[in-house]
Amino acid sequence: MMSDAAFLSRLREKLGTTGVLMDPAQCESYAIDWRRLFQGKPLVVARPSNTHEVAAVVALCRDYQIAIVPQAGNTGMAGGAVPDASGRELVLSLARMNTIRSIDPVGMTMEVEAGVILKTAQDAAAAQGRLLPVSLAAEGSAMMGGIVATNAGGLNVLRYGMTRALVLGLEVVLPDATIVNGLRHLRKDNAGYDWKQVFIGSEGTLGIVTAAVMRLLPQPKDSVTALLSVPHPQAALDLLACVQSELGDSITACEMMAGFSLGLVEKHFGLRRPIADGEWFVLIEAASTLSGLREATETALGHALQRGFALDGIIAESGRQAAELWQLRERITESEGKEGKSVKHDVSVPIPLIPAFLRAADEAMARLLPGTRINCFGHLGDGNLHYNILVDRHTADEVNVVVHDVVQRFGGSISAEHGIGQYRVAELDRRRAPEEQILSRKIKDAIDPDGLMNPGKVLPRKSAHGH
Ligand code: FAD
Ligand code: MLT
Ligand code: ZN
């Protein structure tokens, strides 16, 4: 077996000393996930600065049979971007690949490298009057490679779809170090298999995304943001249906939050909700390139209030006030972290079943852990809730099983947008039909026969018997 010293010395030859981090202090932030649940130990952190350097690292890893853990902004919620504790896995950071290669405001596309921070990409598109619609609370740190590799959801899925709906082309480095350039700036391309779909959402288990062509949209001229309190989740759905009937696809976001969630934000960030207390709140945003949006939104929300779907509400008077309302929603995750440990869920159920799902999940949790505090919020318009239980992590597996049993009963998914990473591997494996898992394994084996790409993420590690 060839030695680590030889491997590391060849890695330095390929990337130079700035491209290789070995000092444990420098590697620290690459070794632990955002939630600080998964602490690993990288053999080394490689920081290539272009696609050819990525391919060179991958070729070297193939020669030495070193496993690779791709990492972009390391904001993932499923522990997918951190290595295991063996000290044998290389972290491949895309952070130095941060060039926006092009923006085409006429063709409505932008080509970005994997290390471009989402917010930087959004701002660059906005400067040309175009919208990159992916938006999430981690957008100041998450990078485009991670966004694509997790098929990120977020706050605007209701109108624009998940990341998958916005990717036109991809450049990937395969586990055998081949560079595949599919960076086509085409709205229509039906030529052959759409292989990029397999890499979108594959969480680093099939190859490395080095660049992407993203679809852009016109930047809306006007947007209206409103916060409403609602008596119960069914009213939140009625509210959404009511405003959707009147405003059509101008609705870009419809987020629901428990009063408890907003209480956490107030406690940890001092941000107060501007309307009366309630058990549930809904944040709605509408945006349009046409005029008259505000009046139409006021009318639609007025009707919802008259019909009792909402109890109270406020429409932001300025961009600043709209941002303040969004802070109430976007600070929930950090507030939950400050409050203490939690067992997170990222589930989806068919939209009309949300109220019944919540009743059933609350009952199941009350039976398992009476009196437990539940931080429930999420993307109502997408049927995606974060149903987070504020308990110490030692009960995580038990809690997961109870909540996911309810999800399964309602025909839902145990990962709506965060992916599987290492956090949900066992749960996915026990709940997905064997035929689906076998098909996924065939895809994995076909593209990554040596199993060197992010082992143990998404699919279970192969046993010594090769299963
Ligand atoms: P990382 O965490 O670095 O990586 C995520 C996964 O992708 C890992 O498995 C990694 O190995 C793989 N990967 C990374 N880069 C590449 C690459 N170039 N090639 C191949 N594989 C790669 N997510 C949502 O979907 N919706 C939300 O609303 C949302 N809100 C969030 C709010 C907060 C406060 C935080 C902290 C996170 C939130 N997330 C949300 C989760 C996270 O931001 C997203 O999953 C994001 O897409 C991860 O991007 P990243 O660059 O940080 O990826
Ligand atoms: C969100 O919707 O804010 C995110 O998905 C993060 C979380 O689940 O905490
Ligand atoms: Zn979310």
Side-chain angles (χ1 to χ4, degrees), residues 34 70-77 80-81 94 114 136-138 142-143 145-147 149-150 152-154 203-204 207-209 333 379 417-418 454:
W34 190 88
Q71 189 178 102
N74 198 12
T75 67
M77 287 274 154
L94 279 304
L136 33 92
M143 296 172 185
I147 293 291
T150 57
E203 302 181 58
I208 294 162
V209 174
T333 302
H379 316 285
E417 58 170 7
H418 292 166
N454 219 357

Side-chain angles (χ1 to χ4, degrees), residues 154-155 255 329 346 377-379 384 386 417-418:
L155 305 167
E255 300 285 310
R329 164 63 181 89
D346 166 37
F377 61 98
H379 316 285
N384 173 196
H386 301 300
E417 58 170 7
H418 292 166

